[in-house]
Each structure stands twice: as structure tokens, then as C-alpha cells.
Amino acid sequence: MNFQIKSLKDYQDAYSKSVSDPEAFWAAIADHFQWKRKWDQVLKWNFKEPKIEWFKGAKLNITENCIDRHLVDKADQPAIIWEANDPHEHHRVLTYKQLHQKVCLFANVLKNNGVKKGDRICIYMPMVPELAIAVLACARIGAIHSVVFGGFSAQSIADRIKDAQCEMVITADGGFRGAKDTPLKNVIDDALVQCPSVKTVIVLTRTRTPISMIKGRDKWWEDEIKKVETLGLIDCEPEVMDAEDELFILYTSGSTGKPKGVVHTCAGYMVYAAYTFQNVFQYQPKDIYFCTADIGWITGHSYIIYGPLAQGATTLMFEGVPTYPDAGRFWDIVDKFKVNILYTAPTAIRSLMQSGLDYVKDKDLSSLKVLGSVGEPINEEAWNWYNENIGKSKCPIVDTWWQTETGGIMISPIAGVTKTKPCYATLPLPGVQLELVDEKGEVIEENGVSGNLCIKFPWPGMIRTTYGDHERCRQTYFVTYENKYFTGDGCLRDEDGYYRITGRVDDVINVSGHRIGTAEVENAINMFTDVVESAVVGYPHEIKGQGIYAYVILNHDSDDEELTRKDISMTVSRIIGAIARPEKIQFVKGLPKTRSGKIMRRILRKIAEGDVANLGDTSTLLDPAVVEDIKNNKL
Ligand code: WT7
């Protein structure tokens, strides 16, 4: 690949060029892709509205770049290797040729069911190759996919389907995850009670658990494939897409009660995901690359599917969980497939670290060359454990900072090129112009200081809008600091100019690398019949990074507090999903509020963290007795 950075000098040159002449810089990278028509203008933008357009006038199809163009020299190379949840089930390999066939066939299934360019399709599937096939088939015909993580509840799915007005759902009867089966179709059935826009549900057979199949609406994936085969609809010409046509929607949480649909478009996202994949991981031909994320999150979109496939890589997809059947599963997979690049999350590292080295010791990890981390700050202990026991101190660790909204990695070492430092995402990638800003919005120029992390210039992978509500996009990201994109993260820039992300500065909690809005959890808790009011904060959790701590006021004392806690937990599970269940629920008589009625979360956070001696300024408290009560009954 001609845009591969091979040395620190390459990086510095690329970075300076990307700042002095961003358009020429990105045009030269975009030249390596397949276009049906090239752009008239590389970049047109303003952060006021905001309006961001990359490669305007260009025509392309991302699947042509991710599949067709590799058929010339990589037709028989594995595109996707799939490892099942159960280690005894045979793994599957899809070569680029086979992936092409399967994507075309399923794209024809979609068309045969009336799906057109611009239609929205909700995908709620287990981590099987058909999930990647469904995603790519949507992209092939220009339908906009909205993948919803398998851990979300029926209510959450319904909210997302309604927000995007999806006309179709693609799901499976169920999914295998560790020792559990998840009843995906049942959850979809519950969701669809609220969703008249959905006309068709395509159901893949995976667990073959009994499910309801409604005539006229629900169709088996396998039957639909047979239908198009019989009709001779084998090949599927890729839809010609404009650079700025929408590629997908992915919902994510913020400070408000309602998740927002982050929208990414075709050309910029493709170029950015591919460029960052290639450079950060230094992928070499024939390398086996294993990203342990779920495709339900942005990491899976950009670094299991689009980035690797755009680069003609072999991407390994795993259905299960790191601890099933035991805590050695990742290492078994690395050993079995001779994985060269492993990309995982701090929460997984910490949990495997806790299981002890017995699960690592007999595994051959010598194929590994590069290790990656993503999703939350990685603590020094986990970084060192990963480095020493998995990388045997010879694999660079790339601690990659980015967000659903950024589309791809923004701050990260370039493997083997950038000198790493534990806990540091290190330096911005080419094209990424960072700024640290203080409380007053003043830009911080010096090093050795912390501030709020902003980005002052567009990059191709950035969010374009929040689906159906552009004003919300503006308010959330572009209003806090004028003419800058605000990330919501706090960040330290040290004396070497290295960046260390310190965590969210808004009301967002990061549980096991998953973003959860405190307001969302509060809304869910408040749905419970006996709850008057609640406040939710994050607190440090040994494995999950952060845990959810809820302070709850009940309308009468509970006879059985443990049972009430379980009821509340179940309510949250129903409303959002099991991932949002609070770790701790403390019943309180009141919440610390200012005279104007604002909850003083800072105090609640301090108490949850166990730092009761340093509550800070409490002079604006309406009723100090409330705080005493909370302190005395802390869990
Ligand atoms: C938030 C974004 C990026 C894909 C997965 C999460 C936190 C992400 C790091 C990192 C410290 C990180 C930030 C960010 N985060 N990566 N390497 N070091 N923090 O995507 O759900 O959109 O969450 O995750 O707080 O804002 P997401």
C-alpha cells in the first residue's frame, strides 16, 4: 500500500502535509480506491451548521472496494475467518470470491423483498458471517444499515427502529454467547409490536430454537436465498452511490435520555477506516487480523468489516466471549489461526488477567506482531500484563482513541513506528488536528496540562448528522466550543506532546467499553413503580472500568430491599438491556440538590468513588443532612 507509513519520518511528513494541505493529502490517499467517478472537490465544510462534505461529486460503492476489486488477485484468499462460540463447532472460512457470491445473493434477497436505495434496515444478529454479509448486502444496494447490538432490549430496538423508520429487520432465531442462548427473534417480536414501519423480517437459522414466524412478514433467510437462486438472481451490480450518500446509522448514548443515530456516509468513511486500519496496525499481506469487538459497535463496523476488507485483509470474527469455555479462549484462537494482529478492549484484558496465567502458559502466541486496545482508558497494570504475557514484550501496543462519531481511530501509536507509553494513546494520526480547551473555551497551547479534547478541522470519517435531527448534532458536538468538534473527553497532553485520555467529562459512563448515558439509566429506573426519583453516576470498577451506581428514592420503604433492587434491575434490563443494569443501588431519602433544584452529581460521584472526605464545595447545597444520610448508608 502506497499510503503506508513506515517510519517516524513518514509519519511526521504525512502529518505536516495533512495540516498544510489537507485536500491534497486526502486526495492522494483516495486515489488508491476504486471510483466510478472521481470527486469535483475534496472538502467543503463549516462547523457552524455543521455541513461536512468529502469527495463531493464522486461516485462509488464501498462493497466494490471491499470485495470486487480484490477478486483480481485475492479471490481465493480468506476474507473472513469465523470461529464459533462452541470450540467444537467447525470454523468457517469465506474467501473473497465466496464473500462476493454470498453478498450478491443476499443483496438480491433484499431487492426481491422490495428494498431500495435509501431504505433503512435494522440488523439484530449474532456474530456469525451472515451478519457481515447482511451489512455488506445493504451497502451493495445502497440501503442504510442500522445494526443494533444483541444485548439491547426490545424497547431499545423499537426506539431505534422508530427513530430511523426502518422498513425491514434482519435477525436470527437466536444466538450463542458463552453458555447462554439469546432469543433474538423473540426480542424482535416484542419490539415490532410498536413498529408498524417494518414490513419484512428476515430470520437466519442459527440456534434453531422454536420461534414464531408470522405469515407475510417473517421469512427464513435460507428460503429467501433459494428463491433468488431459482430466479437466477446470482450476481448483483453494486448501486452507484454519491460520496455523501448515507452508508449507515449507529446509535450511541450521550448526556440526554435518548440515544442518537450517528450517521456516516460512503466515501469519507471508507477512506478513513481503510487508511487508519492500514497504518495503525501495519497490516501486511497474508496477516491474520483478529478484532474481538462485536459488530454491533462502531469498532466492529470499522475494524472487523469495512477497514480490513477495504485493504484486502483477512479478518477473523468470533461469535463467543473471552471466558468460554474458559479464560484461555482468545489465546486458543490466536494459537489455532496463528493470529498476527489482535485488537481487544481493556475490560477483556483485565478480566483475563484476573483469571491468571494458567490459561496463557501453554498457548503458542508467537505469531502475534501487534496488539491493540480500544474503548476506554487502559490502566497501567493491564497494559503491562498485555505487553508482557501476551506480547512477550516484543509486540507494540496500539492504544487507539476514537468514538462512534469519529468513524475511525484518531489518536494512536502507529505500530512499530511511534514510541509507546503505557496509558497513552500517544499522537494524533495524520489529518487529525487536536486542541485542548479549558473551561472558558480558551485553547491551551502548552504541554503538561489537561483540558477538554476538541478537534478543529474535519477528517473524512467524521459524523455528518444525527439521523432525523440535525440540530441535535450541532448542539451536541459543535456548540460547546465555537468552530470545534467537542469529543466529550478530558485529556492530558504531557511534556512530550503525548495525549492521554482521562475519561468523559459529560454525563456518560463507560461500562466495559460501552457508552451508557446516566440520564437513560435514570429514566429506566424511574419507570419502576415505586421510584420517586433517581440519580446515576459512574464509579471505578476493577474489571469493567466503570460501574453504574444508582441512588434511588422510593415512595415508601421497601420490605425487602434486595428484592426491590432486583426488580429495579429487571426494569432497567427491560427498558435498555442487561448492559445498563446498575451494579449498586442505594436507597436514599433525598438527593443533594442546589437551591435551584439541580442534582449535585459531583457529590454523588465522590461518595460512589469512596472519596467522602473530599466532597468539595457544598455551600450551595439546599439540605446538607441529605448528604450525611447518603454518606452513612453508602454501599
Ligand atoms: C468513548 C467512545 C472507539 C470505539 C469504541 C468506543 C472512550 C475509546 C479509548 C481509549 C481512552 C477511550 C472515550 C470515547 N474511549 N477509546 N483508547 N482510551 N478512552 O466507542 O462507544 O463511541 O465510545 O470511549 O471516552 O469518547 P464509543
Side-chain angles (χ1 to χ4, degrees):
M1 282 302 156
N2 307 9
F3 53 66
Q4 179 134 1
I5 293 166
K6 298 200 183 73
S7 64
L8 200 57
K9 179 161 186 311
D10 283 354
Y11 164 72
Q12 285 157 346
D13 289 349
Y15 193 84
S16 352
K17 171 126 200 245
S18 78
V19 175
S20 63
D21 194 349
E23 297 202 29
F25 175 78
W26 286 111
I29 290 158
D31 268 333
H32 294 284
F33 294 80
Q34 194 167 313
W35 305 90
K36 291 188 182 292
R37 181 186 190 276
K38 287 230 176 149
W39 48 91
D40 300 315
Q41 193 176 356
V42 177
L43 172 63
K44 194 166 171 221
W45 70 288
N46 74 72
F47 278 176
K48 269 225 134 42
E49 294 176 64
K51 189 153 174 81
I52 318 291
E53 294 169 291
W54 282 93
F55 310 111
K56 206 172 149 62
K59 307 251 185 227
L60 76 157
N61 186 289
I62 194 168
T63 69
E64 211 167 16
N65 284 274
C66 289
I67 309 173
D68 303 73
R69 67 169 170 155
H70 307 311
L71 296 180
V72 183
D73 57 343
K74 293 189 178 121
D76 297 321
Q77 184 204 294
I80 297 177
I81 298 176
W82 174 77
E83 169 76 1
N85 178 61
D86 179 348
H88 304 296
E89 183 174 342
H90 211 284
H91 68 270
R92 287 170 60 188
V93 176
L94 290 180
T95 64
Y96 272 96
K97 193 161 119 204
Q98 291 165 329
L99 182 63
H100 180 260
Q101 287 162 348
K102 290 195 180 287
V103 168
C104 283
L105 268 183
F106 194 66
N108 286 331
V109 165
L110 297 178
K111 281 201 200 164
N112 207 35
N113 279 281
V115 180
K116 301 175 305 299
K117 175 178 175 182
D119 289 352
R120 278 84 48 227
I121 298 190
C122 172
I123 302 180
Y124 187 69
M125 288 179 83
M127 280 286 288
V128 290
E130 285 74 14
L131 166 52
I133 290 165
V135 162
L136 291 162
C138 287
R140 186 122 184 131
I141 64 166
I144 301 165
H145 55 79
S146 166
V147 183
V148 177
F149 174 62
F152 280 111
S153 68
Q155 184 60 52
S156 292
I157 300 166
D159 291 342
R160 286 157 175 76
I161 288 176
K162 283 188 280 185
D163 187 74
Q165 285 292 298
C166 295
E167 17 255 324
M168 180 187 269
V169 174
I170 306 171
T171 187
D173 48 357
F176 297 119
R177 259 177 79 79
K180 284 195 304 243
D181 295 4
T182 43
L184 299 173
K185 176 61 163 62
N186 282 352
V187 179
I188 289 294
D189 286 337
D190 288 345
L192 292 191
V193 171
Q194 299 182 43
C195 304
S197 65
V198 174
K199 302 285 181 285
T200 312
V201 181
I202 309 241
V203 187
L204 177 82
T205 307
R206 176 63 187 131
T207 53
R208 202 50 192 101
T209 30
I211 54 168
S212 85
M213 290 292 284
I214 305 295
K215 191 185 293 167
R217 186 193 73 180
D218 299 348
K219 303 176 180 183
W220 292 107
W221 173 297
E222 296 77 9
D223 292 348
E224 293 302 299
I225 293 282
K226 278 198 205 103
K227 253 188 238 169
V228 293
E229 276 175 338
T230 313
L231 292 168
L233 300 171
I234 307 300
D235 223 0
C236 175
E237 274 302 302
E239 184 77 32
V240 180
M241 304 293 283
D242 282 334
E244 285 296 338
D245 277 341
E246 292 176 0
L247 175 65
F248 66 85
I249 307 169
L250 188 56
Y251 285 84
T252 190
S253 297
S255 323
T256 67
K258 199 172 152 251
K260 44 190 176 292
V262 172
V263 172
H264 286 288
T265 56
C266 294
Y269 172 80
M270 170 185 79
V271 169
Y272 197 70
Y275 176 76
T276 51
F277 169 76
Q278 187 62 47
N279 281 305
V280 168
F281 300 107
Q282 295 283 303
Y283 185 88
Q284 298 301 319
K286 301 214 161 30
D287 278 352
I288 307 291
Y289 161 86
F290 175 22
C291 168
T292 70
D294 192 288
I295 289 173
W297 309 109
I298 190 70
T299 308
H301 283 58
S302 301
Y303 299 113
I304 294 179
I305 301 182
Y306 289 117
L309 295 180
Q311 291 307 102
T314 297
T315 177
L316 196 159
M317 201 179 151
F318 172 43
E319 182 181 31
V321 297
T323 48
Y324 181 82
D326 64 41
R329 191 65 193 280
F330 279 1
W331 324 129
D332 288 333
I333 295 174
V334 169
D335 193 339
K336 174 173 174 186
F337 296 103
K338 305 296 164 221
V339 169
N340 305 108
I341 303 168
L342 174 70
Y343 190 27
T344 191
T347 186
I349 299 167
R350 284 190 298 264
S351 120
L352 298 178
M353 179 168 92
Q354 217 180 45
S355 307
L357 287 173
D358 275 357
Y359 294 102
V360 185
K361 70 173 197 298
D362 298 325
K363 313 293 160 72
D364 178 7
L365 305 181
S366 61
S367 56
L368 287 172
K369 296 193 293 189
V370 174
L371 301 177
S373 169
V374 62
E376 52 173 316
I378 178 165
N379 51 307
E380 189 150 4
E381 198 192 352
W383 197 98
N384 287 328
W385 187 87
Y386 198 28
N387 182 40
E388 287 158 23
N389 299 296
I390 306 307
K392 317 288 178 195
S393 302
K394 66 173 179 58
C395 301
I397 296 180
V398 292
D399 177 359
T400 63
W401 175 85
W402 57 296
Q403 308 178 299
T404 303
E405 294 86 344
T406 69
I409 299 168
M410 301 291 280
I411 311 180
S412 171
I414 289 173
V417 168
T418 316
K419 194 170 171 320
T420 59
K421 195 191 265 194
C423 310
Y424 281 77
T426 74
L427 299 171
L429 294 184
V432 177
Q433 302 191 32
L434 304 175
E435 237 166 16
L436 293 186
V437 180
D438 68 16
E439 304 288 87
K440 291 192 238 65
E442 305 288 345
V443 176
I444 302 169
E445 302 286 355
E446 62 274 32
N447 286 351
V449 189
S450 293
N452 286 347
L453 181 64
C454 294
I455 303 160
K456 69 169 176 192
F457 194 83
W459 64 100
M462 79 183 292
I463 180 174
R464 299 303 195 267
T465 190
T466 43
Y467 194 84
D469 190 351
H470 192 63
E471 174 58 15
R472 187 152 178 223
C473 173
R474 192 179 75 88
Q475 286 288 345
T476 312
Y477 307 106
F478 298 93
V479 165
T480 320
Y481 302 109
E482 204 186 331
N483 236 352
K484 301 182 208 311
Y485 167 86
F486 176 42
T487 64
D489 278 314
C491 182
L492 166 80
R493 185 172 52 220
D494 75 359
E495 299 301 343
D496 301 329
Y498 268 34
Y499 290 84
R500 174 181 187 162
I501 310 298
T502 47
R504 303 288 302 196
V505 296
D506 53 7
D507 292 323
V508 169
I509 316 180
N510 191 324
V511 183
S512 301
H514 301 153
R515 240 158 103 174
I516 296 171
T518 52
E520 264 178 88
V521 184
E522 287 164 9
N523 287 348
I525 292 175
N526 296 348
M527 301 274 284
F528 181 67
T529 136
D530 295 336
V531 170
V532 176
E533 197 180 3
S534 66
V536 163
V537 298
Y539 73 98
H541 186 284
E542 220 188 316
I543 306 259
K544 300 179 174 184
Q546 279 190 297
I548 301 176
Y549 195 119
Y551 300 91
V552 174
I553 308 174
L554 295 177
N555 58 14
H556 58 81
D557 285 345
S558 164
D559 302 334
D560 183 340
E561 293 205 342
E562 245 346 274
L563 188 58
T564 306
R565 284 196 181 94
K566 285 184 183 151
D567 288 341
I568 292 175
S569 213
M570 190 57 90
T571 310
V572 173
S573 246
R574 279 274 173 217
I575 306 292
I576 307 177
I579 50 172
R581 275 188 316 220
E583 211 76 38
K584 294 186 180 180
I585 298 175
Q586 180 180 347
F587 296 114
V588 298
K589 296 206 169 47
L591 291 167
K593 290 189 178 172
T594 61
R595 280 178 200 89
S596 61
K598 217 170 124 41
I599 296 175
M600 296 177 75
R601 288 166 187 286
R602 176 177 50 84
I603 293 179
L604 293 175
R605 232 176 269 132
K606 286 278 182 196
I607 297 173
E609 281 166 15
D611 193 10
V612 287
N614 299 301
L615 294 187
D617 182 13
T618 52
S619 62
T620 53
L621 259 178
L622 181 64
D623 179 7
V626 161
V627 175
E628 284 312 305
D629 170 70
I630 296 178
K631 276 200 315 204
N632 294 336
N633 296 302
K634 181 190 160 0
L635 297 175

